[in-house]
Each structure stands twice: as C-alpha cells, then as structure tokens.
Amino acid sequence: MSVIITREGPVTIVTIDRPTRRNAVDPDTAAALRDAFAAFADDSDARVAILTGSAGHFCAGFDLKGVGTSRYDPDGPGPMGPTRMLLGKPVIAAVEGHAVAGGLELALWCDLRVAAASAVFGVYCRRWGVPLIDGGTVRLPRIVGQGRALDMILTGRPVEAAEAHHIGLADRVVADGEALSAAITLAKQIAAFPQLCMTSDRMSAYRQWDFDLADALTHEAHAGAAPLLEGAAAGAKRFTEGAGRGGSFAALKRE
C-alpha cells in the first residue's frame, strides 16, 4: 500500500507512503490518491482531509522511473492523482521535508499548507525538462502572484519555509516534526464550524475565478442563499445569547 488512510473524528488523513522514493508518486499511487479523496468527498462524516507524506518527506514529485509506463492523457486525471479534482470540502497539506515538482503541485491543490520550519518547496522538475501539468502554472500564480510564481517556475530554485510563509505559499510554519499535528488541530477547528455556510463560501472563492467581477458577485449572492436560510438564524441566536463575544471561538461546537 503506497497510500495510508486514517481517521481522527471528522478528519481524514491521507499519507503517501513510499519512503524509499521520498514519496514520489507513480501511476498506482496516483490512482490510490484519487480513490482516497473520492471516498473522502462521498463520506458525510468526513469534514476536512489532510494530505501528508511519511518518513519526514511530503512528496518529491512524480517518480521519474514511472515515466513511459502509462500513457499520458491531457484530458484525463492528473498524473499526480487528485490535482484535477475540485472537492466540495477542504484539504490541508501537512508538509515536512520537500514538496517539489509534482509534490509542490499536490501542496498547491490543497486549500491550506502547514509547513515544518525546514520544509522546502520548488519547481525542481525544471532541471529535467519535465513540465508542470498538475496545476502548477495555474495555482501557483493565483496563490503567490504572477511575479513570484514566475520566479519559482523559471528558476526552479528552492523556497524554504520562511520565504514560503512570507509570500503566502505556506499558511502556517511550525517546528520540525509538528506539521501533521498542527494540521490536525487546524482541521478540527475548521470541522467545528457550521459546514453548509463554510463549504458554500469556500466553493464561491474557487468559482469566482470563472467569472468577471459582476458575475462573481452574483454567483456569491446566490450561493449564500441556502446557508443564510438554513443556518444563519441559529448562529445569530447563539451570538445574541452570549456565544462568541469578543471574537472568542471557545463556545463553538461541532454540528
């Protein structure tokens, strides 16, 4: 098994487990990752997923030993696994070690990235003439901006965790060895929110790229109708009764 799936309450943890290859993804692992996240998407009890790697490495990219072992279909699924899927629920990357080449693209696919202090990101495939075909040229500019993305894409240079945090590539930086535990804490926090509203807002943030400003605002307004009707009144009542005053999250309960 090159992919291990575990659960902590509402959190699904998907671990790439190919330590001898620094968790590089081969075609079988890519298929297993797609299956894992499809199952997560269909599981009503699973609210947030975490993608990580075993033995101190996130993912070294596509396993170059697997190049040529399967036919690449540009209209098919991403070679790294789930990278052409848009899930209805959030995924957090817990990054220790290297998230490079296709591994960077897997991290970019996730909603948030929690990085260990010694983590390294980079378009290392630049050295071998292997293109970014799992969303790297699309998601990286959207996350860090065009100029910073091109700096990484054109040079292939390593970007350490501190710089990644500075440019918005890493959302949290924690001590080495603590990326997964920090990601689990963050995932449980997200899982405690009213889910209909949160997932609607999340999807609107993704879908707005499909529209111009006016149409994006219209889409947001319509997407918010159901959570406003079904959940906002109950949340407002809890606030008027004293919950959450002063910005506190302490009174939140998983729904």
Side-chain angles (χ1 to χ4, degrees):
M1 294 290 292
S2 59
V3 173
I4 299 171
I5 303 169
T6 55
R7 287 287 293 268
E8 285 209 18
V11 180
T12 298
I13 303 165
V14 179
T15 304
I16 305 170
D17 187 35
R18 301 187 77 218
T20 61
R21 303 295 299 162
R22 295 195 173 189
N23 299 323
V25 170
D26 63 359
D28 288 343
T29 303
L33 287 171
R34 284 192 292 271
D35 290 345
F37 283 105
F40 161 70
D42 291 339
D43 186 345
S44 60
D45 292 326
R47 294 191 165 195
V48 184
I50 294 171
L51 175 60
T52 193
S54 66
H57 290 284
F58 182 73
C59 176
F62 190 78
D63 191 340
L64 295 183
K65 289 187 175 181
V67 173
T69 61
S70 61
R71 180 178 176 272
Y72 170 60
D73 179 2
D75 296 316
M80 290 296 298
T83 52
R84 294 177 188 164
M85 301 167 69
L86 177 57
L87 303 184
K89 297 181 281 190
V91 181
I92 301 170
V95 181
E96 300 273 355
H98 284 72
V100 296
L104 170 64
E105 292 180 293
L106 279 176
L108 294 170
W109 173 73
C110 298
D111 296 88
L112 300 172
R113 285 151 294 283
V114 177
S118 65
V120 177
F121 301 85
V123 186
Y124 279 20
C125 51
R126 181 59 54 239
R127 298 171 295 170
W128 316 121
V130 177
L132 296 170
I133 51 177
D134 279 271
T137 66
V138 177
R139 295 188 177 102
L140 187 59
R142 292 183 178 189
I143 291 170
V144 305
Q146 183 83 351
R148 284 168 169 157
L150 286 173
D151 179 28
M152 293 180 65
I153 291 169
L154 296 179
T155 68
R157 68 180 181 87
V159 174
E160 296 181 354
E163 181 183 359
H165 187 247
H166 176 71
I167 66 176
L169 177 54
D171 300 286
R172 309 279 194 281
V173 176
V174 298
D176 288 346
E178 295 183 8
L180 179 56
S181 61
I184 291 171
T185 299
L186 178 59
K188 289 181 176 179
Q189 175 189 339
I190 293 170
F193 291 127
Q195 293 295 289
L196 178 62
C197 179
M198 186 273 294
T199 55
S200 175
D201 285 351
R202 172 188 174 274
M203 190 59 72
S204 181
Y206 278 112
R207 290 300 189 193
Q208 59 95 9
W209 294 102
D210 299 336
F211 308 109
D212 62 22
L213 178 59
D215 288 341
L217 291 171
T218 298
H219 179 270
E220 178 192 60
H222 284 272
L228 190 64
L229 178 65
E230 297 180 31
K237 183 174 185 293
R238 289 172 60 200
F239 176 78
T240 60
E241 292 172 349
R245 294 295 172 86
S248 172
F249 283 68
L252 286 173
K253 295 180 181 179
R254 184 183 167 207
E255 297 184 354

PDB file of all heavy atoms in Angstrom, residues 1-20:
ATOM      1  N   MET A   1       0.847  -1.189   0.000  1.00  0.00           N
ATOM      2  CA  MET A   1       0.000   0.000   0.000  1.00  0.00           C
ATOM      3  C   MET A   1       0.885   1.243   0.000  1.00  0.00           C
ATOM      4  O   MET A   1       1.696   1.456   0.898  1.00  0.00           O
ATOM      5  CB  MET A   1      -0.893   0.001   1.239  1.00  0.00           C
ATOM      6  CG  MET A   1      -1.909  -1.123   1.268  1.00  0.00           C
ATOM      7  SD  MET A   1      -3.198  -0.902   0.025  1.00  0.00           S
ATOM      8  CE  MET A   1      -4.035   0.526   0.698  1.00  0.00           C
ATOM      9  N   SER A   2       0.730   2.077  -1.032  1.00  0.00           N
ATOM     10  CA  SER A   2       1.528   3.302  -1.106  1.00  0.00           C
ATOM     11  C   SER A   2       0.785   4.503  -0.564  1.00  0.00           C
ATOM     12  O   SER A   2       1.346   5.590  -0.465  1.00  0.00           O
ATOM     13  CB  SER A   2       1.938   3.572  -2.558  1.00  0.00           C
ATOM     14  OG  SER A   2       0.791   3.697  -3.387  1.00  0.00           O
ATOM     15  N   VAL A   3      -0.496   4.328  -0.204  1.00  0.00           N
ATOM     16  CA  VAL A   3      -1.300   5.383   0.390  1.00  0.00           C
ATOM     17  C   VAL A   3      -1.995   4.815   1.618  1.00  0.00           C
ATOM     18  O   VAL A   3      -2.658   3.777   1.543  1.00  0.00           O
ATOM     19  CB  VAL A   3      -2.336   5.930  -0.613  1.00  0.00           C
ATOM     20  CG1 VAL A   3      -3.293   6.907   0.066  1.00  0.00           C
ATOM     21  CG2 VAL A   3      -1.644   6.619  -1.784  1.00  0.00           C
ATOM     22  N   ILE A   4      -1.839   5.498   2.747  1.00  0.00           N
ATOM     23  CA  ILE A   4      -2.439   5.066   4.009  1.00  0.00           C
ATOM     24  C   ILE A   4      -3.511   6.074   4.396  1.00  0.00           C
ATOM     25  O   ILE A   4      -3.280   7.288   4.367  1.00  0.00           O
ATOM     26  CB  ILE A   4      -1.379   4.966   5.121  1.00  0.00           C
ATOM     27  CG1 ILE A   4      -0.303   3.945   4.741  1.00  0.00           C
ATOM     28  CG2 ILE A   4      -2.016   4.604   6.455  1.00  0.00           C
ATOM     29  CD1 ILE A   4       0.886   3.950   5.680  1.00  0.00           C
ATOM     30  N   ILE A   5      -4.687   5.570   4.772  1.00  0.00           N
ATOM     31  CA  ILE A   5      -5.804   6.435   5.165  1.00  0.00           C
ATOM     32  C   ILE A   5      -6.150   6.155   6.625  1.00  0.00           C
ATOM     33  O   ILE A   5      -6.383   5.009   7.012  1.00  0.00           O
ATOM     34  CB  ILE A   5      -7.033   6.179   4.279  1.00  0.00           C
ATOM     35  CG1 ILE A   5      -6.678   6.388   2.806  1.00  0.00           C
ATOM     36  CG2 ILE A   5      -8.189   7.098   4.681  1.00  0.00           C
ATOM     37  CD1 ILE A   5      -7.741   5.906   1.848  1.00  0.00           C
ATOM     38  N   THR A   6      -6.168   7.210   7.436  1.00  0.00           N
ATOM     39  CA  THR A   6      -6.544   7.101   8.837  1.00  0.00           C
ATOM     40  C   THR A   6      -7.575   8.181   9.152  1.00  0.00           C
ATOM     41  O   THR A   6      -7.766   9.125   8.383  1.00  0.00           O
ATOM     42  CB  THR A   6      -5.329   7.241   9.768  1.00  0.00           C
ATOM     43  OG1 THR A   6      -4.641   8.474   9.484  1.00  0.00           O
ATOM     44  CG2 THR A   6      -4.356   6.087   9.574  1.00  0.00           C
ATOM     45  N   ARG A   7      -8.233   8.030  10.312  1.00  0.00           N
ATOM     46  CA  ARG A   7      -9.265   8.991  10.707  1.00  0.00           C
ATOM     47  C   ARG A   7      -9.021   9.472  12.128  1.00  0.00           C
ATOM     48  O   ARG A   7      -8.616   8.701  12.991  1.00  0.00           O
ATOM     49  CB  ARG A   7     -10.644   8.340  10.618  1.00  0.00           C
ATOM     50  CG  ARG A   7     -11.180   8.117   9.232  1.00  0.00           C
ATOM     51  CD  ARG A   7     -11.629   9.411   8.568  1.00  0.00           C
ATOM     52  NE  ARG A   7     -12.787   9.998   9.232  1.00  0.00           N
ATOM     53  CZ  ARG A   7     -14.056   9.755   8.896  1.00  0.00           C
ATOM     54  NH1 ARG A   7     -14.328   8.918   7.912  1.00  0.00           N
ATOM     55  NH2 ARG A   7     -15.052  10.348   9.542  1.00  0.00           N
ATOM     56  N   GLU A   8      -9.274  10.750  12.363  1.00  0.00           N
ATOM     57  CA  GLU A   8      -9.359  11.311  13.705  1.00  0.00           C
ATOM     58  C   GLU A   8     -10.657  12.097  13.775  1.00  0.00           C
ATOM     59  O   GLU A   8     -10.695  13.280  13.436  1.00  0.00           O
ATOM     60  CB  GLU A   8      -8.160  12.206  14.015  1.00  0.00           C
ATOM     61  CG  GLU A   8      -6.886  11.462  14.306  1.00  0.00           C
ATOM     62  CD  GLU A   8      -5.963  12.214  15.253  1.00  0.00           C
ATOM     63  OE1 GLU A   8      -6.430  13.141  15.956  1.00  0.00           O
ATOM     64  OE2 GLU A   8      -4.778  11.867  15.288  1.00  0.00           O
ATOM     65  N   GLY A   9     -11.716  11.419  14.179  1.00  0.00           N
ATOM     66  CA  GLY A   9     -13.021  12.068  14.214  1.00  0.00           C
ATOM     67  C   GLY A   9     -13.421  12.508  12.816  1.00  0.00           C
ATOM     68  O   GLY A   9     -13.461  11.702  11.879  1.00  0.00           O
ATOM     69  N   PRO A  10     -13.712  13.814  12.639  1.00  0.00           N
ATOM     70  CA  PRO A  10     -14.161  14.303  11.334  1.00  0.00           C
ATOM     71  C   PRO A  10     -13.031  14.532  10.344  1.00  0.00           C
ATOM     72  O   PRO A  10     -13.272  14.989   9.230  1.00  0.00           O
ATOM     73  CB  PRO A  10     -14.829  15.625  11.689  1.00  0.00           C
ATOM     74  CG  PRO A  10     -14.050  16.118  12.867  1.00  0.00           C
ATOM     75  CD  PRO A  10     -13.718  14.889  13.661  1.00  0.00           C
ATOM     76  N   VAL A  11     -11.803  14.215  10.740  1.00  0.00           N
ATOM     77  CA  VAL A  11     -10.616  14.494   9.919  1.00  0.00           C
ATOM     78  C   VAL A  11     -10.102  13.202   9.287  1.00  0.00           C
ATOM     79  O   VAL A  11      -9.840  12.219   9.986  1.00  0.00           O
ATOM     80  CB  VAL A  11      -9.503  15.152  10.754  1.00  0.00           C
ATOM     81  CG1 VAL A  11      -8.284  15.442   9.882  1.00  0.00           C
ATOM     82  CG2 VAL A  11     -10.009  16.432  11.403  1.00  0.00           C
ATOM     83  N   THR A  12      -9.956  13.218   7.971  1.00  0.00           N
ATOM     84  CA  THR A  12      -9.372  12.106   7.227  1.00  0.00           C
ATOM     85  C   THR A  12      -7.931  12.455   6.886  1.00  0.00           C
ATOM     86  O   THR A  12      -7.661  13.520   6.329  1.00  0.00           O
ATOM     87  CB  THR A  12     -10.149  11.853   5.920  1.00  0.00           C
ATOM     88  OG1 THR A  12     -11.491  11.495   6.240  1.00  0.00           O
ATOM     89  CG2 THR A  12      -9.512  10.732   5.113  1.00  0.00           C
ATOM     90  N   ILE A  13      -7.003  11.570   7.213  1.00  0.00           N
ATOM     91  CA  ILE A  13      -5.578  11.803   6.958  1.00  0.00           C
ATOM     92  C   ILE A  13      -5.128  10.836   5.864  1.00  0.00           C
ATOM     93  O   ILE A  13      -5.230   9.622   6.006  1.00  0.00           O
ATOM     94  CB  ILE A  13      -4.744  11.593   8.229  1.00  0.00           C
ATOM     95  CG1 ILE A  13      -5.241  12.517   9.348  1.00  0.00           C
ATOM     96  CG2 ILE A  13      -3.262  11.853   7.947  1.00  0.00           C
ATOM     97  CD1 ILE A  13      -4.733  12.150  10.718  1.00  0.00           C
ATOM     98  N   VAL A  14      -4.656  11.406   4.761  1.00  0.00           N
ATOM     99  CA  VAL A  14      -4.175  10.628   3.620  1.00  0.00           C
ATOM    100  C   VAL A  14      -2.657  10.790   3.557  1.00  0.00           C
ATOM    101  O   VAL A  14      -2.154  11.900   3.380  1.00  0.00           O
ATOM    102  CB  VAL A  14      -4.829  11.111   2.308  1.00  0.00           C
ATOM    103  CG1 VAL A  14      -4.298  10.315   1.122  1.00  0.00           C
ATOM    104  CG2 VAL A  14      -6.353  11.012   2.396  1.00  0.00           C
ATOM    105  N   THR A  15      -1.942   9.685   3.706  1.00  0.00           N
ATOM    106  CA  THR A  15      -0.479   9.710   3.769  1.00  0.00           C
ATOM    107  C   THR A  15       0.125   8.968   2.588  1.00  0.00           C
ATOM    108  O   THR A  15      -0.181   7.794   2.367  1.00  0.00           O
ATOM    109  CB  THR A  15       0.023   9.066   5.076  1.00  0.00           C
ATOM    110  OG1 THR A  15      -0.579   9.731   6.193  1.00  0.00           O
ATOM    111  CG2 THR A  15       1.539   9.173   5.181  1.00  0.00           C
ATOM    112  N   ILE A  16       0.972   9.658   1.832  1.00  0.00           N
ATOM    113  CA  ILE A  16       1.747   8.993   0.781  1.00  0.00           C
ATOM    114  C   ILE A  16       2.873   8.237   1.468  1.00  0.00           C
ATOM    115  O   ILE A  16       3.671   8.824   2.211  1.00  0.00           O
ATOM    116  CB  ILE A  16       2.318  10.006  -0.219  1.00  0.00           C
ATOM    117  CG1 ILE A  16       1.208  10.876  -0.798  1.00  0.00           C
ATOM    118  CG2 ILE A  16       3.066   9.290  -1.345  1.00  0.00           C
ATOM    119  CD1 ILE A  16       1.722  12.054  -1.618  1.00  0.00           C
ATOM    120  N   ASP A  17       2.961   6.945   1.229  1.00  0.00           N
ATOM    121  CA  ASP A  17       3.911   6.104   1.955  1.00  0.00           C
ATOM    122  C   ASP A  17       4.819   5.348   0.986  1.00  0.00           C
ATOM    123  O   ASP A  17       4.664   4.145   0.772  1.00  0.00           O
ATOM    124  CB  ASP A  17       3.151   5.138   2.868  1.00  0.00           C
ATOM    125  CG  ASP A  17       4.084   4.357   3.787  1.00  0.00           C
ATOM    126  OD1 ASP A  17       5.105   4.936   4.222  1.00  0.00           O
ATOM    127  OD2 ASP A  17       3.798   3.178   4.063  1.00  0.00           O
ATOM    128  N   ARG A  18       5.759   6.076   0.410  1.00  0.00           N
ATOM    129  CA  ARG A  18       6.802   5.480  -0.429  1.00  0.00           C
ATOM    130  C   ARG A  18       8.147   6.062   0.025  1.00  0.00           C
ATOM    131  O   ARG A  18       8.819   6.784  -0.723  1.00  0.00           O
ATOM    132  CB  ARG A  18       6.556   5.773  -1.907  1.00  0.00           C
ATOM    133  CG  ARG A  18       5.232   5.280  -2.451  1.00  0.00           C
ATOM    134  CD  ARG A  18       5.175   5.465  -3.965  1.00  0.00           C
ATOM    135  NE  ARG A  18       5.962   4.446  -4.650  1.00  0.00           N
ATOM    136  CZ  ARG A  18       6.706   4.671  -5.747  1.00  0.00           C
ATOM    137  NH1 ARG A  18       6.789   5.889  -6.262  1.00  0.00           N
ATOM    138  NH2 ARG A  18       7.373   3.688  -6.312  1.00  0.00           N
ATOM    139  N   PRO A  19       8.542   5.787   1.256  1.00  0.00           N
ATOM    140  CA  PRO A  19       9.712   6.471   1.829  1.00  0.00           C
ATOM    141  C   PRO A  19      11.007   6.232   1.060  1.00  0.00           C
ATOM    142  O   PRO A  19      11.881   7.116   1.041  1.00  0.00           O
ATOM    143  CB  PRO A  19       9.788   5.909   3.253  1.00  0.00           C
ATOM    144  CG  PRO A  19       9.020   4.618   3.206  1.00  0.00           C
ATOM    145  CD  PRO A  19       7.932   4.842   2.209  1.00  0.00           C
ATOM    146  N   THR A  20      11.156   5.082   0.427  1.00  0.00           N
ATOM    147  CA  THR A  20      12.399   4.826  -0.311  1.00  0.00           C
ATOM    148  C   THR A  20      12.500   5.683  -1.561  1.00  0.00           C
ATOM    149  O   THR A  20      13.587   5.832  -2.130  1.00  0.00           O
ATOM    150  CB  THR A  20      12.518   3.349  -0.704  1.00  0.00           C
ATOM    151  OG1 THR A  20      11.418   2.982  -1.549  1.00  0.00           O
ATOM    152  CG2 THR A  20      12.521   2.462   0.544  1.00  0.00           C
TER     153      THR A  20
END
